Amino acid sequence: MSRYIPINAQDALDKLKAKKKQISIGLATIAALLILFFVFFTKSSEIPECQDCKSYGPLKPAYKGSLDLIFENKDYQLSVIEKLAGAIRIPTQIYDETPPPDLSIPLKDDPNYKNFSLLHTYLESTFPLVYSKFIVEKINGAGLLLTWHPKHIPKDSKPFLLMAHQDVVPFDPSTVSRWTYPPFSGHYDKKTDTLYGRGSTDTKKLLISHLEALELLIAANWEPSKRPILLSYGFDEERGGIDGASAIAKFILERYGPDSIYGLIDEGGETGYLGDNGFIGSPVTAEKGYLDAIITLNTKGGHSSIPPDHTSIGIISELNYLLEKNPYDPSIAVNNPALEAVQCRALYDKSFFGDVTKGFKSGRLGKLTNAVNNHLGYRYFFRTSQAIDIIKGGVKANALPEQVTVLVNNRININSSVNETLVHILDLVSEVADKYDLSIKLERSSNASELKSGKNGEFVVVVRGELEPAPISPTAGDEMWEIIAGTIVNTYSSSFFGNNTEVYVAPSLTTGNTDTKYFWDLTKRIYRFSGSLHVNGSNAHTVDEKTTGKSIISCLAFVYQIIGNIDKYT
Ligand SMILES: *[C@@H]1O[C@H](CO)[C@@H](O)[C@H](O)[C@H]1NC(C)=O
Ligand SMILES: *[C@@H]1O[C@H](CO)[C@@H](O)[C@H](O)[C@H]1NC(C)=O
Ligand SMILES: *[C@@H]1O[C@H](CO)[C@@H](O)[C@H](O)[C@H]1NC(C)=O
Ligand SMILES: *[C@@H]1O[C@H](CO)[C@@H](O)[C@H](O)[C@H]1NC(C)=O
Ligand SMILES: *[C@@H]1O[C@H](CO)[C@@H](O)[C@H](O)[C@H]1NC(C)=O
Ligand SMILES: *[C@@H]1O[C@H](CO)[C@@H](O)[C@H](O)[C@H]1NC(C)=O
Ligand SMILES: [Zn+2]
């Protein structure tokens, strides 16, 4: 595509460093022509061009060290797979109702967290060099914060932070027979290069890759030259990080202050395989917002032989019907990073949906909106979702239901807000309340207010877990972003991935949330990307969660390089 301006990441970094040098007249002229060209060709399109896709060359590793060992030595690779299998065999399940660790007793005696204590012991014995170099702090009982700050690095140097989580989604015992191997067996099938088990993909693969990369680096006497390295491992990401990452983030904020972290990388995006077309790495630079609306309707009870025309269940059904009849409008914000990810695929992945590709080619946002709306995999990148997930009401065949409750879960589009979402819900509640003369009470962070009063009963709308969409992390032109991009290209250009060396990079968005939501005050450079090769059917959160040796090694190779690159090139 002629409209793409390839940038070599190495050159780009050199340019960043050489900013103060005078730009020659020749270069300025070329730049001006390029800008004119760009403006001329894009003004007719409502859809911005990809900034990033195909823009980066491989970034030469600042420290190559053991990279060949990682990519080429089969015995070494098996030893890494075995280290991950060992971590999978320790079931660190976290349930929604698990209480926080009991800080009055040792972790190993806390029935809910005994296994986390076992995992800590396992990590310490498996990565002795990391545990000797880093200061290891337990935060809120089971959280781990590891710090490596060599003496020669100035106190005020901003640390680089790597994150993952120790907990896994519980497995449902009723599904045990559907697992090819038991969920915590950590079974590795050499023939298919598949490692089975809960946590294999979400996210012990990343946790073990961090520690293994650092173990290798320390063994070779590498040490950071400019920035301290922090590792943060929460213990309840899978129920929102309320006791784990939230406490670690608070601890870091108290120790270092606001905006004190250089940048962070947590779980999130991966690298997709486009068949003959190459690979696409998608670091996630934005996260949708969140809101649960728990809507209860209280009405008069009575004998069900003389019912009113509408019971509370009937009325709330009308609300459910209205909610689903009025979904949120799709709206493609031009700064939505998913636009880049989808556009990059539409251009370079030949198996991609034709109508989405046509939408991009048309340059018309309306046409593109219709096209992405028809694909479940992409629809919710560009609009607020709603799902009526829970309904409860009624107790007896001959008694009118006095109370019924529904829970509506919403993931908020990145150019929308908690307020806009709540207004949408309350508008529909009001419509029903007006029709049946019902009151509406809103409860938000323990504040209750009556929005409307009625005679026949009361809606109580409780707002839970409200979270605005995340700030969007910087991409093209940002030093850390360009290092990540160049590192992705270098990793996937390795012959380990075959001779297919086309590697694309595009930012993306997650429709879910990660532990990073507690770190907004610490840095604007928040990237959610494990570096690993995406595995088809890795089944995160469900039966037969699995990964491959290849995916583990790709994750390790990326992490190994990014540690050296961030230290050297920033
Ligand atoms: C802890 O591990 C044991 C097996 O080692 C397992 O039976 C138990 O369910 C685990 N506890 C939790 C909370 O995951
Ligand atoms: C994943 O599946 C798709 C189609 O279902 C296929 O085209 C692609 O090659 C697969 N990727 C890998 C890495 O096997
Ligand atoms: C979101 O973006 C779309 C397209 O750019 C725009 O039409 C809409 O007004 C935006 N919404 C908000 C709340 O900013
Ligand atoms: C939404 O924001 C507007 C304007 O700031 C405010 O008047 C309104 O009360 C808010 N609505 C809710 C439900 O918070
Ligand atoms: C009630 O809301 C106000 C602002 O709307 C807030 O400052 C206050 O903390 C809230 N009260 C409670 C108990 O959360
Ligand atoms: C890569 O190319 C070389 C020769 O150019 C060939 O020997 C080798 O088998 C190829 N590897 C893969 C994985 O296709
Ligand atoms: Zn996870």
Side-chain angles (χ1 to χ4, degrees), residues 342 345-347 349-357 360 378:
V342 179
R345 277 201 176 239
L347 291 171
D349 181 351
K350 292 204 186 78
S351 66
F352 206 78
F353 322 108
D355 48 346
V356 176
T357 306
F360 278 110
Y378 296 102

Side-chain angles (χ1 to χ4, degrees), residues 89-283:
R89 290 183 196 120
I90 304 168
T92 45
Q93 303 177 88
I94 198 88
Y95 299 86
D96 284 348
E97 60 279 6
T98 306
D102 179 349
L103 301 179
S104 69
I105 53 172
L107 198 66
K108 67 177 174 39
D109 297 333
D110 185 332
N112 296 306
Y113 291 93
K114 201 169 74 192
N115 295 352
F116 286 85
S117 171
L118 294 173
L119 180 67
H120 295 172
T121 308
Y122 175 77
L123 297 178
E124 181 164 5
S125 62
T126 309
F127 303 103
L129 298 177
V130 172
Y131 272 71
S132 71
K133 281 285 180 203
F134 280 76
I135 294 167
V136 180
E137 289 167 291
K138 308 257 162 83
I139 311 291
N140 201 11
L144 288 176
L145 176 64
L146 282 77
T147 305
W148 188 8
H149 192 151
K151 285 208 174 61
H152 61 85
I153 298 181
K155 277 260 165 314
D156 59 352
S157 175
K158 289 186 173 186
F160 170 48
L161 170 62
L162 288 168
M163 290 171 59
H165 57 86
Q166 307 169 55
D167 58 299
V168 298
V169 171
F171 98 99
D172 176 351
S174 72
T175 65
V176 69
S177 64
R178 288 159 56 196
W179 288 72
T180 309
Y181 299 96
F184 298 108
S185 64
H187 178 88
Y188 176 61
D189 180 353
K190 213 168 168 178
K191 251 193 240 130
T192 57
D193 185 34
T194 305
L195 177 65
Y196 290 85
R198 186 60 95 222
S200 55
T201 197
D202 188 3
T203 175
K204 285 179 175 168
K205 174 169 67 182
L206 182 58
L207 175 78
I208 296 299
S209 293
H210 289 166
L211 297 171
E212 177 63 19
L214 285 159
E215 191 78 2
L216 282 178
L217 288 165
I218 296 167
N221 287 321
W222 181 89
E223 66 172 6
S225 65
K226 275 187 227 143
R227 303 189 175 285
I229 297 175
L230 303 185
L231 308 173
S232 162
Y233 302 129
F235 57 84
D236 63 349
E237 193 277 341
E238 298 295 356
R239 57 131 186 241
I242 50 177
D243 296 312
S246 73
I248 300 176
K250 193 161 161 263
F251 186 90
I252 296 177
L253 192 64
E254 274 163 20
R255 174 172 288 171
Y256 296 92
D259 196 29
S260 57
I261 299 293
Y262 172 75
L264 72 82
I265 308 183
D266 192 6
E267 64 170 334
E270 294 194 289
T271 302
Y273 176 57
L274 306 179
D276 292 343
N277 298 304
F279 296 92
I280 175 172
S282 295

